[in-house]
Amino acid sequence: MNDVIGAQDNQRHTFIFTGKGWEYFLICLVNFLLSIITLGIYTPWAMVKCRRYIYQKMTLNGQSFAYKATGGAIFVSFLLIMIVYGASVSLIVNGSHFLGFTLIGLLVIAIPLMAVKSLQYQAMMTSLNGVRFGFSCSKLYAWLYMLAVPLVLSLVNWGVVYLLSVATEWLEGSTGTLFRITFIAMVGIIGMGITYGITYAKWMQLVGNGGHFGIHHFAINVDMKACVIGCIKAVLVFLPFVVVIAWLIAPIFLQMVMLAVMGVANDAFILENYSRIMACYFLYFVGIIVLISYLYVTLRNLFMNNLTLAEGKIRFHSSVTASGMVWRFALVMLISGITFGLAYPWMKMWQVRWLASNSHVQGDLDSLELTDSELALETGPAMWLSRGVMTYFPFI
């Protein structure tokens, strides 16, 4: 009996992506032309068409996914949000500052609640083997984890940094100033890592435990300590780029300040140092690519490697690596930029195929009862307003 259970548990299924660059290129070309002709109005339909193609070309255990969201639904959501935002700005410009800022504040406060409804819509528009996914969670927890917790933690972090800057003002001289800046920067970085780590860990719990596939529920238990450490490392990988950029740009910046104080035109000076300035921009964008790639891989692996379905019968695994993600992300941006976007469809398919091949499901999928959940999609003004707030599931 144990051998049978072990054999079922050892069944491993890998996601397979069969999308082709030229097919995706035609979709992107039509989307681009229609978006230009309609002055951007077609964008929601373009987004849905791209995602539908990717879902249809993604298979698991021989079955492809389906995505039935509509561009019209997302467009209405975008339009309603823009109307509310436009009305608030109009009130502020016309002197009704209290009403305008109140309306913006209410919109910001409502974003986590709208995100939950948007995720519900996206989940129920997605299906596998004819069975729909779903999502539901506590609105209170969504508000706490998506808005209140990160806001409070960020304020605490900046407060600590400010108090340390005041407490170390007695340090003088170049050595003392360098030590002060380094120490405060490291505390701020660690604080950012803690803020991101706690926030993302809570998000993972919210998203993972709120999902279901038909009548089967997902579950997740993320180690918050691992998430915090991963986020701190992600911020630290950007630090060497900051140091090099500061070393390159500091002399130029100080000279420009001196020239500005003296009232001397500095156009010629900027041209003389143009190559160094551009090198700083290049390093900055490379650093951002490394940071985003490392953070994405860290969060994706933490999420998928701790996710289960149907009371643990089905488990998920992600084997993507930060190094693999960095150079793929860099190549997608570089080659797409060099070709003015023409190569983007092929590069996108290449990247999605790699992500799919490093995403696995462990367990006997054929043993799952394929029955849809009885939960119905919410309707009404709140859902109309919310469907375009979060158009994808994070960490996947």
Side-chain angles (χ1 to χ4, degrees):
M1 182 67 179
N2 291 332
D3 293 338
V4 174
I5 296 176
Q8 291 178 345
D9 289 341
N10 287 329
Q11 292 189 35
R12 186 182 180 91
H13 309 274
T14 299
F15 288 82
I16 298 175
F17 182 69
T18 58
K20 294 179 173 58
W22 67 270
E23 293 178 343
Y24 196 63
F25 172 79
L26 293 177
I27 294 174
C28 291
L29 179 61
V30 173
N31 288 341
F32 175 76
L33 294 176
L34 290 177
S35 297
I36 293 296
I37 293 172
T38 60
L39 302 178
I41 294 177
Y42 187 75
T43 301
W45 284 270
M47 180 182 65
V48 167
K49 282 190 174 181
C50 289
R51 182 163 300 172
R52 183 173 295 136
Y53 176 80
I54 292 175
Y55 278 44
Q56 289 174 346
K57 296 298 181 178
M58 187 75 68
T59 62
L60 176 64
N61 195 28
Q63 300 294 327
S64 61
F65 289 81
Y67 183 65
K68 297 182 179 180
T70 63
I74 296 176
F75 171 76
V76 170
S77 177
F78 286 167
L79 181 61
L80 292 175
I81 292 173
M82 291 305 299
I83 290 174
V84 174
Y85 178 75
S88 62
V89 172
S90 178
L91 288 170
I92 294 172
V93 171
N94 291 313
S96 301
H97 297 89
F98 177 77
L99 289 176
F101 284 113
T102 299
L103 193 58
I104 290 180
L106 291 174
L107 184 62
V108 172
I109 292 174
I111 285 177
L113 311 181
M114 294 161 63
V116 170
K117 292 183 177 296
S118 182
L119 290 176
Q120 181 192 43
Y121 174 76
Q122 293 295 325
M124 297 195 75
M125 292 298 104
T126 307
S127 62
L128 174 65
N129 203 9
V131 179
R132 294 180 306 172
F133 290 84
F135 178 78
S136 62
C137 70
S138 166
K139 305 295 192 301
L140 176 60
Y141 285 153
W143 185 83
L144 286 173
Y145 298 155
M146 293 184 182
L147 186 64
V149 169
L151 179 60
V152 171
L153 291 175
S154 297
L155 291 175
V156 170
N157 184 36
W158 286 112
V160 171
V161 170
Y162 173 75
L163 291 176
L164 286 176
S165 65
V166 173
T168 56
E169 285 183 343
W170 57 274
L171 292 173
E172 298 178 352
S174 57
T175 303
T177 302
L178 179 61
F179 174 79
R180 179 181 177 225
I181 293 175
T182 303
F183 176 70
I184 294 175
M186 290 302 298
V187 171
I189 288 172
I190 294 174
M192 289 173 61
I194 294 174
T195 300
Y196 293 151
I198 294 176
T199 300
Y200 287 136
K202 292 297 184 182
W203 283 18
M204 288 182 193
Q205 297 277 50
L206 189 75
V207 173
N209 290 322
H212 59 84
F213 174 62
I215 61 174
H216 306 288
H217 290 269
F218 289 92
I220 192 170
N221 185 19
V222 179
D223 185 356
M224 185 177 294
K225 181 180 178 181
C227 194
V228 169
I229 293 174
C231 289
I232 292 176
K233 289 181 178 179
V235 178
L236 286 176
V237 298
F238 187 63
L239 187 59
F241 295 94
V242 174
V243 173
V244 175
I245 291 172
W247 176 74
L248 289 173
I249 204 69
I252 300 175
F253 178 76
L254 293 175
Q255 188 67 23
M256 289 177 63
V257 171
M258 292 179 61
L259 292 173
V261 171
M262 296 170 60
V264 179
N266 54 7
D267 291 343
F269 177 76
I270 293 177
L271 290 175
E272 291 175 2
N273 295 276
Y274 180 77
S275 59
R276 177 173 287 199
I277 294 173
M278 293 306 297
C280 291
Y281 276 113
F282 175 76
L283 285 174
Y284 173 76
F285 285 114
V286 171
I288 291 296
I289 290 174
V290 174
L291 169 62
I292 293 175
S293 299
Y294 188 91
L295 185 60
Y296 171 76
V297 169
T298 298
L299 296 178
R300 187 182 197 270
N301 289 348
L302 276 173
F303 181 77
M304 291 193 64
N305 294 340
N306 290 281
L307 186 66
T308 62
L309 176 65
E311 299 180 345
K313 296 177 182 177
I314 306 297
R315 299 185 300 276
F316 298 83
H317 178 65
S318 171
S319 56
V320 296
T321 60
S323 59
M325 191 66 198
V326 166
W327 74 271
R328 282 176 173 81
F329 191 15
L331 281 178
V332 169
M333 296 187 64
L334 177 63
I335 297 178
S336 299
I338 292 174
T339 60
F340 300 100
L342 293 176
Y344 172 76
W346 283 270
M347 301 305 297
K348 177 68 175 180
M349 296 297 96
W350 173 62
Q351 186 180 44
V352 173
R353 188 175 296 107
W354 177 72
L355 288 173
S357 65
N358 284 278
S359 303
H360 317 283
V361 177
Q362 197 86 11
D364 187 6
L365 292 174
D366 294 326
S367 67
L368 288 181
E369 181 181 348
L370 299 180
T371 305
D372 256 328
S373 171
E374 295 181 356
L375 293 176
L377 180 65
E378 294 183 20
T379 58
M383 178 58 80
W384 300 341
L385 182 67
S386 304
R387 286 178 291 194
V389 172
M390 186 174 287
T391 56
Y392 69 98
F393 267 82
F395 318 118
I396 298 177

